Amino acid sequence: MDKLVSEIKSKFEQASRVALFTHVSCDCDGIGSMLGLYSFLTENGKNVSLFCDSDIPARLSFLNGIENINKDENPSQNSSLKEELKIELDVNFDNFDLLVSLDTSTASRLGKYQEIFENFENTINIDHHISNSNYAKINYVKPYSSCGEVVYELLKEAGCKIEPNVATCLFAAISSDTNCFTNANISSRTHFCAGELLDLGADHNLVNLSLHKNKSKNQLRLIAYMAKNLKFYKGITYFYSSLKMLKKLGVKSNDVSTFMHVICNTAESKINIIIKERGNGEYRLSLRSVGDYDVNRVTKIFGGGGHKNAGGCVLKGNFKKEFKKLVSECLAEIKRVDLKP
């Protein structure tokens, strides 16, 4: 057994109370990885709490244990209700033995939990982003397709028994972050992991229906709106998601991220961008690319990160001015690749 895997296994065995975290603007990879590890730990007698500084996407409600996220902090996951009632139950993290982050490249992506995590003496960071800053005491970071694939490898290498609930969560994480195994980030190992998870009881029909097939009428209207309002500029395709548009269509911000493949499938597009207005002069950008175009190079310039073909960052202040800078960096990246001999 790998020394690092052995150390992490020992930490899990020694801990009685464990807190798991994933990143703000959460997605299925982060939530699925967190819930997969949650199911494993609880099945082995651990007291586990789940935290995420975001509203949890309703489409992920099929994942076992999702109702327990933020349960120890607030009685409601409705952010507007939290604000209205001014409810904030204190969580004493001194009562925990171990804090674990999943699918989170930097501590800042933990949102309001950043300081708590950084100051805790016993922390583990499990992730797949090449831009990971190794901010925990123990860092298990592999450049794989998804955090779900990393968690599966960790449990497998540690000789842990993986039950169907765990397998389903991890399969969902992998399927989501690879866009149903179609993204450039997959490898033969990804398919082996997925196959083994199916053999372990992962409910692939449930995952495929929930993530890739079932769509509400409002979501279908969003897809049509996105297709109609795409912008094209010198190999860059982008879509702007305003708060006003979300309200009008009756959809959530994470629905926009879910359908990013709409613009990623555009012919002749080299770099794809979704801009999501967050309010208070803040805009979250998700970038995707094809081939050798490295969006991680671009997002790092703006304080973000990710992978070669997938990254994200936040723009603040004068959006038009900052977005123009980002487009300029994207064009430079396209030129860098296209001019290669």
Side-chain angles (χ1 to χ4, degrees):
M1 185 186 303
D2 178 87
K3 182 179 179 181
L4 184 57
V5 172
S6 178
E7 185 178 6
I8 294 173
K9 182 181 181 182
S10 178
K11 290 290 185 181
F12 286 155
E13 290 173 343
Q14 293 170 11
S16 176
R17 291 204 66 193
V18 182
L20 305 182
F21 303 80
T22 192
H23 56 83
V24 296
S25 299
C26 57
D27 57 18
C28 186
D29 189 25
I31 296 296
S33 297
M34 183 166 71
L35 291 177
L37 186 56
Y38 166 79
S39 292
F40 168 76
L41 292 172
T42 54
E43 286 164 4
N44 284 274
K46 307 300 178 181
N47 187 328
V48 186
S49 297
L50 306 169
F51 301 96
C52 178
D53 188 12
S54 289
D55 287 335
I56 311 304
R59 71 188 184 95
L60 303 183
S61 60
F62 70 97
L63 293 172
N64 182 63
I66 196 166
E67 69 280 2
N68 294 313
I69 299 176
N70 296 329
K71 185 177 180 180
D72 288 357
E73 183 188 59
N74 291 296
S76 170
Q77 290 184 10
N78 185 301
S79 59
S80 60
L81 182 60
K82 291 177 192 176
E83 180 63 25
E84 179 182 339
L85 298 180
K86 302 297 182 183
I87 296 173
E88 188 66 37
L89 302 182
D90 291 333
V91 178
N92 186 359
F93 284 94
D94 290 337
N95 292 330
F96 290 91
D97 305 307
L98 177 66
L99 306 188
V100 183
S101 67
L102 295 116
D103 195 39
T104 306
S105 58
T106 63
S108 63
R109 295 275 287 147
L110 292 171
K112 65 183 178 182
Y113 302 114
Q114 176 182 357
E115 187 175 350
I116 292 167
F117 196 93
E118 289 181 319
N119 293 330
F120 201 83
E121 64 180 51
N122 209 11
T123 57
I124 299 175
N125 159 31
I126 302 173
D127 189 30
H128 70 120
H129 295 94
I130 59 173
S131 58
N132 192 285
S133 60
N134 294 315
Y135 52 88
K137 299 298 188 295
I138 299 175
N139 299 283
Y140 191 79
V141 181
K142 302 285 186 177
Y144 294 169
S145 71
S146 56
C147 188
E149 187 176 338
V150 178
V151 175
Y152 174 64
E153 178 191 77
L154 174 62
L155 295 179
K156 179 182 176 182
E157 290 298 313
C160 301
K161 183 179 179 181
I162 298 176
E163 299 291 349
N165 277 336
V166 178
T168 297
C169 288
L170 298 183
F171 183 84
I174 296 171
S175 180
S176 174
D177 233 35
T178 61
N179 193 23
C180 201
F181 305 92
T182 62
N183 289 351
N185 59 348
I186 64 170
S187 65
S188 59
R189 180 187 55 248
T190 308
H191 288 285
F192 279 122
C193 288
E196 290 179 352
L197 287 169
L198 293 179
D199 290 340
L200 290 166
D203 190 339
H204 62 93
N205 287 322
L206 175 65
V207 171
N208 289 333
L209 280 172
S210 302
L211 292 183
H212 307 298
K213 294 185 178 181
N214 290 343
K215 304 288 185 293
S216 70
K217 291 179 180 178
N218 284 350
Q219 288 173 329
L220 291 175
R221 293 187 182 101
L222 171 61
I223 294 173
Y225 183 91
M226 292 177 70
K228 184 178 179 180
N229 290 276
L230 290 179
K231 305 296 181 184
F232 307 94
Y233 182 70
K234 297 183 178 180
I236 300 171
T237 302
Y238 63 94
F239 172 75
Y240 180 82
S241 168
S242 69
L243 294 175
K244 183 178 179 180
M245 180 273 294
L246 295 177
K247 185 176 181 180
K248 181 179 179 180
L249 295 179
V251 293
K252 302 289 186 180
S253 178
N254 51 58
D255 287 322
V256 177
S257 300
T258 299
F259 304 127
M260 191 167 186
H261 63 276
V262 172
I263 65 172
C264 290
N265 290 337
T266 306
E268 299 180 5
S269 182
K270 299 171 180 177
I271 294 179
N272 308 278
I273 309 170
I274 279 183
I275 308 112
K276 295 190 288 185
E277 181 185 6
R278 307 292 286 180
N280 299 317
E282 182 175 302
Y283 303 84
R284 172 160 290 280
L285 277 65
S286 296
L287 285 76
R288 299 291 184 270
S289 65
V290 297
D292 290 331
Y293 304 105
D294 189 348
V295 292
N296 185 51
R297 287 173 177 261
V298 176
T299 54
K300 285 176 68 175
I301 295 172
F302 296 88
H307 309 283
K308 179 179 179 180
N309 296 121
C313 62
V314 173
L315 299 184
K316 297 180 180 181
N318 187 320
F319 174 72
K320 288 185 177 180
K321 182 179 180 181
E322 293 302 309
F323 185 62
K324 186 176 180 179
K325 291 179 183 177
L326 184 131
V327 169
S328 179
E329 294 296 338
C330 289
L331 292 174
E333 174 60 19
I334 290 173
K335 184 177 180 180
R336 182 187 70 84
V337 176
D338 288 352
L339 290 180
K340 280 184 178 179

